[in-house]
Amino acid sequence: MKRFFPLLVMLVMGFAVAQAQNALPRTFEYDDAGNRTARKTLELKAEVVAHSDAQTAVSEVRSTMYEEALGENLTVKIYPNHTKGQVTLQFSQDVKQGFFQLYNMSGNKVFDGNFSAGMLLVDLSPYPAGTYLLYLSADGQRDTWRVVKN
């Protein structure tokens, strides 16, 4: 019985970690007094492509996409996330004035830029693998996303 207890603990912990990683990312909005006024849950969408060969049928996830509303009339799709190079930001309509900033997890600004279009490509290929924070402002609407580079 003593041999199986550590195995049982590792199995339960592995299940708990797997469930925690499946949790959807959330963002919060606060008023001037610091009270939370809104909570947004980001939807993860995956495009699944089916392959079949003589032995088995295999499904692979082609890309993961975040889609969230920025204000009343503007939505943004961010994909692929996890990336090896470029991240695409696709807006529901053309943005008149926008800028973005990319930070590493130490809080240092990696790079930033301005844009005015319906789509933006952010190239992460020159930077090391890791997790980055993408701060985005489009037509006065702001939000932050976590982007992972493999």
Side-chain angles (χ1 to χ4, degrees):
M1 183 67 181
K2 290 182 182 180
R3 281 193 277 171
F4 295 111
F5 184 71
L7 181 62
L8 179 64
V9 169
M10 289 186 347
L11 181 66
V12 169
M13 292 299 291
F15 181 73
V17 168
Q19 290 297 343
Q21 290 178 351
N22 290 333
L24 293 175
R26 292 187 175 94
T27 59
F28 303 98
E29 293 180 7
Y30 299 91
D31 62 9
D32 292 335
N35 300 313
R36 184 169 51 180
T37 58
R39 180 181 85 181
K40 297 180 194 174
T41 301
L42 301 176
E43 294 181 33
L44 298 177
K45 296 183 179 180
E47 175 186 341
V48 177
V49 179
H51 299 283
S52 62
D53 57 11
Q55 301 294 328
T56 60
V58 178
S59 295
E60 77 177 76
V61 175
R62 187 61 65 86
S63 65
T64 302
M65 178 185 318
Y66 292 109
E67 181 175 7
E68 186 171 339
L70 281 175
E72 295 177 11
N73 300 324
L74 185 63
T75 61
V76 61
K77 295 177 184 176
I78 299 177
Y79 60 93
N81 194 8
H82 305 312
T83 184
K84 292 184 180 180
Q86 291 186 341
V87 175
T88 302
L89 288 83
Q90 183 177 3
F91 299 93
S92 60
Q93 61 190 27
D94 283 343
V95 175
K96 295 176 186 132
Q97 181 180 8
F99 72 92
F100 69 94
Q101 297 172 329
L102 190 73
Y103 292 90
N104 62 18
M105 293 310 287
S106 299
N108 300 323
K109 188 189 312 182
V110 176
F111 74 101
D112 59 6
N114 296 318
F115 64 94
S116 60
M119 183 179 282
L120 172 67
L121 295 174
V122 179
D123 189 14
L124 298 176
S125 57
Y127 304 103
T131 303
Y132 295 89
L133 293 176
L134 177 65
Y135 174 80
L136 177 67
S137 176
D139 292 340
Q141 304 297 320
R142 300 180 302 254
D143 214 335
T144 305
W145 288 274
R146 187 174 53 201
V147 178
V148 178
K149 181 182 181 230
N150 294 334

